[in-house]
Amino acid sequence: MGHLHIFDMDGTLLTGTTANLEIARHLGTLPELRELEARFAAGTLDTRGFSIEIHRLWRDLTPDTVAAAYTAATWLTGIADVCADIRARGEHSAVITMSPDFFARHLLDLGFDDVIASRFPPLPFTGTLDPAGILTPADKVRITEQLRARHGLDVDQCTAYGDSMSDAPLFRHLTNTVAVNADHHLAGIAALDYRGTDLTEVYALARTLTT
């Protein structure tokens, strides 16, 4: 019997931080990013507007800087072990994140079957950003449905792992949901709530939903 495991990245696999924060630290643009985050929190920037601004801010970003930021970031332990177990069972794993693809795609090296993220032009940025390629919370549901259809799975054969209200549409769409170090808003609608730093523990907890 197949199963699809869908993971958020920022705040879930990536603990206590985000891809954008890690990149900003390495580029020395934390104040500018904090200002953008404040505008986003105030509702004067949406997801796509935010991405347009960081595309403008990080014109000199290189793959080496992204790789350094990825390596230095704090991740849950056990990610590769969980991916390996999912694959050994003949199941499927995916990361769906609104963060940039140039950062998230590094997770493929840990064994995820799919990593779907907001699409940016190749680094360093010379091309224009297409806002249609920037994901929103609603896109997590749309992409999950595409993956579910591809693998011929029912809704109850999918488990979502997330931490924030950007995961709420997907958590409301699925039955099997695990909040990972989440705020009370998401924890309140999740089937299970985990606090800690080990994805193998999260995964073992999630297995109780389907056994």
Side-chain angles (χ1 to χ4, degrees), residues 45-94:
L45 268 185
D46 61 9
T47 303
R48 288 170 175 161
F50 186 94
S51 295
I52 289 169
E53 291 297 326
I54 64 171
H55 175 260
R56 182 180 298 118
L57 177 65
W58 293 343
R59 284 290 183 184
D60 298 326
L61 183 61
T62 65
D64 286 346
T65 300
V66 173
Y70 173 87
T71 301
T74 304
W75 299 90
L76 291 181
T77 59
I79 296 176
D81 292 334
V82 168
C83 289
D85 188 79
I86 291 171
R87 185 166 292 179
R89 294 172 185 260
E91 299 178 353
H92 311 280
S93 62

Side-chain angles (χ1 to χ4, degrees), residues 124-143:
F125 296 137
T126 54
T128 58
L129 176 69
D130 180 2
I134 304 304
L135 301 186
T136 67
D139 287 319
K140 291 193 172 189
V141 176
R142 175 183 60 80
I143 294 165

Side-chain angles (χ1 to χ4, degrees), residues 20 40 89 111:
N20 288 334
F40 182 79
R89 294 172 185 260

